[in-house]
């Protein structure tokens, strides 16, 4: 199975994602420049964190218009796996591959911290090796992670089991205090209707080694690799 | 004739695009600005919402109907995110 990590001007977690795929998943991985349009050799694509195009206009907006994103839309439509992390989540929302939008954090601050999220659904290729209701500790680093959507979209996400992660306290309780950026319904990660596209604000790729404070993110990549291996 | 030509060449049509958050979307920046303004003693302000303003210079060869249509398309597809924002276009010729 082959992974691709998309690189925009201003991506800065691309090497972290590359490192995790090559070292912890042990699979071939390429960097994909934002002007590329051929994704045919890949099984999964990661849209990494960072500040693509300086977050100009809206976080993720300009990246969503880049040539590679047109190909990512086709890639996703074929049922192939797309994981958007942090800025990648913002890009997927701007591109219309995921519903809702990510706006300025409730308290306006750029927040760089470790947070707890509860696993709300294991029914995705990205989370099937996780434990439902389990708590993952992962870092966040964003100013625009406040997930918003209208009532109908929220109802649909809940009804279709598409909320994948929610911000929680150390005991797994979904509280307003634990809702670090003010996201609607504590939402930290969601998937599309086909369940092959997932976006989340926390950084699983930066939580794969105990030395860095947590290795809880590894299960996300292990899930991904497991699904691809089974399909191969 | 020469004067008319000069006038035509110097004509500067602009499309002005105002992008605002939908009323239902929380605007934490506007809230913070309102708080500061109130600290400065401004009174009678019930709300402040922050938005974006774009000034698009249009080539002299484009007529105002086309300019409006293109600015509206640009506002819808690029300058605003319809999930959270509304927009308004004005043409100044």
């Amino acid at each position: 199975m082959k992974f691709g990590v998309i690189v925009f001007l201003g991506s800065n977690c691309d090497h972290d994602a590359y490192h995790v795929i090559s070292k912890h998943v042990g699979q071939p991985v390429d960097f994909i420049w934002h002007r590329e349009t051929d994704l045919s050799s890949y099984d999964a694509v990661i849209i990494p964190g960072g500040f693509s195009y300086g977050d100009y206009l809206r976080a993720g907006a300009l990246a969503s218009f880049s040539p590679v994103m047109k190909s990512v839309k086709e890639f996703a439509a074929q049922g192939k796996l797309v994981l958007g992390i942090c800025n990648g989540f913002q890009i997927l929302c701007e591109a219309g591959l995921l519903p809702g939008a990510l706006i300025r954090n409730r308290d306006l601050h750029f927040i760089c911290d470790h947070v707890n999220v509860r696993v709300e659904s294991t029914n995705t290729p990205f989370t099937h090796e996780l434990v439902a209701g389990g708590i993952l500790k992962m870092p966040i680093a964003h100013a625009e992670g406040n997930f918003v959507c209208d009532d109908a979209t929220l109802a649909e996400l809940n009804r279709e089991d598409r909320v994948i992660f929610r911000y929680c306290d150390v005991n797994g309780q979904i509280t307003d205090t634990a809702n670090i950026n003010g996201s609607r319904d504590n939402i930290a990660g969601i998937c599309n209707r086909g369940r092959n596209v997932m976006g989340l604000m926390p950084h699983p790729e930066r939580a794969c080694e105990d030395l860095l404070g947590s290795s809880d993110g590894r299960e996300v990549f292990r899930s991904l690799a497991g699904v691809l291996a089974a399909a191969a | 004739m020469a004067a008319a030509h000069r006038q035509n060449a110097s004509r500067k049509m602009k499309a002005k695009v105002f992008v605002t958050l939908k009323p239902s979307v929380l605007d934490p920046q506007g809230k913070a600005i309102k708080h500061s303004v109130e600290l400065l003693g401004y009174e009678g302000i019930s709300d402040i919402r922050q938005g974006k303003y774009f000034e698009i210079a249009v080539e002299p060869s484009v007529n105002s109907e086309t300019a409006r249509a293109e600015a509206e398309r640009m506002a819808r597809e690029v300058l605003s995110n319809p999930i959270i924002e509304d927009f308004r276009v004005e043409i100044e010729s």
Side-chain angles (χ1 to χ4, degrees):
Chain A
M1 77 200 76
K2 194 165 178 190
F3 287 78
V5 176
I6 296 180
V7 183
F8 297 101
L9 297 167
S11 295
N12 66 9
C13 295
D14 42 349
H15 283 265
D16 304 67
Y18 186 101
H19 169 80
V20 167
I21 299 300
S22 55
K23 183 175 176 190
H24 296 297
V25 180
Q27 293 298 326
V29 52
D30 285 342
F31 286 122
I32 303 170
W33 189 234
H34 61 99
R35 291 189 185 281
E36 294 288 327
T37 52
D38 182 8
L39 301 177
S40 59
S41 61
Y42 301 101
D43 302 296
V45 156
I46 297 173
I47 307 180
F51 298 87
S52 56
Y53 305 91
D55 276 352
Y56 297 162
L57 191 61
R58 298 176 302 276
L62 298 185
S64 75
F65 303 125
S66 64
V68 77
M69 285 310 297
K70 203 172 165 228
S71 304
V72 169
K73 286 181 191 172
E74 291 160 8
F75 188 81
Q78 292 161 15
K80 293 182 177 174
L81 305 181
V82 179
L83 172 62
I85 302 167
C86 193
N87 190 218
F89 184 13
Q90 295 164 337
I91 294 168
L92 290 173
C93 288
E94 281 285 342
L97 283 167
L98 290 174
L102 294 145
I103 65 167
R104 193 67 183 247
N105 294 342
R106 178 169 53 184
D107 66 1
L108 293 168
H109 294 155
F110 182 97
I111 306 169
C112 186
D113 205 352
H114 273 83
V115 297
N116 295 301
V117 296
R118 192 172 75 186
V119 179
E120 301 291 275
S121 174
T122 56
N123 180 23
T124 78
F126 312 93
T127 56
H128 70 97
E129 292 205 9
L130 279 70
V131 178
I135 303 167
L136 305 184
K137 184 182 158 200
M138 293 189 280
I140 58 162
H142 62 247
E144 281 96 8
N146 183 351
F147 180 79
V148 294
C149 65
D150 59 22
D151 294 344
T153 305
L154 181 67
E156 183 184 299
L157 288 172
N158 282 319
R159 191 175 58 242
E160 297 177 357
D161 189 29
R162 288 164 52 195
V163 176
I164 313 303
F165 298 108
R166 278 196 171 88
Y167 301 106
C168 68
D169 66 15
V170 285
N171 301 313
Q173 297 301 307
I174 306 299
T175 65
D176 189 55
T177 316
N179 193 9
I180 192 147
N181 53 25
S183 288
R184 185 144 201 208
D185 233 21
N186 284 52
I187 288 174
I190 56 172
C191 73
N192 67 343
R193 195 166 276 154
R195 316 194 80 80
N196 60 314
V197 178
M198 180 174 88
L200 76 171
M201 287 313 295
H203 286 271
E205 85 289 13
R206 283 161 61 180
C208 289
E209 279 143 354
D210 291 332
L211 186 65
L212 299 179
S214 171
S215 56
D216 292 354
R218 270 203 222 181
E219 300 302 318
V220 170
F221 298 98
R222 208 167 282 166
S223 295
L224 243 180
V227 164
L228 292 175
Chain B
M1 184 70 184
H5 178 75
R6 259 201 313 280
Q7 201 181 1
N8 195 36
S10 67
R11 185 189 68 135
K12 285 185 182 124
M13 186 162 54
K14 275 181 199 159
K16 299 176 168 183
V17 180
F18 301 83
V19 175
T20 50
L21 280 174
K22 284 186 191 292
S24 59
V25 176
L26 178 82
D27 177 12
Q29 294 181 102
K31 250 185 173 173
I33 295 164
K34 177 170 179 276
H35 181 65
S36 292
V37 161
E38 283 168 344
L39 283 179
L40 289 169
Y42 289 88
E43 288 173 9
I45 291 162
S46 56
D47 196 17
I48 293 183
R49 307 276 290 169
Q50 184 177 324
K52 291 176 189 153
Y53 169 58
F54 302 84
E55 238 178 42
I56 302 159
V58 181
E59 298 283 351
S61 58
V62 180
N63 68 37
S64 66
E65 293 75 47
T66 308
R68 175 176 291 279
E70 283 296 274
E72 284 182 350
R73 191 163 70 92
M74 197 188 302
R76 194 168 46 246
E77 294 180 354
V78 180
L79 304 180
S80 76
N81 177 340
I83 296 170
I84 49 171
E85 294 166 324
D86 295 321
F87 67 85
R88 177 166 59 84
V89 173
E90 288 176 9
I91 299 293
E92 182 190 280
S93 47

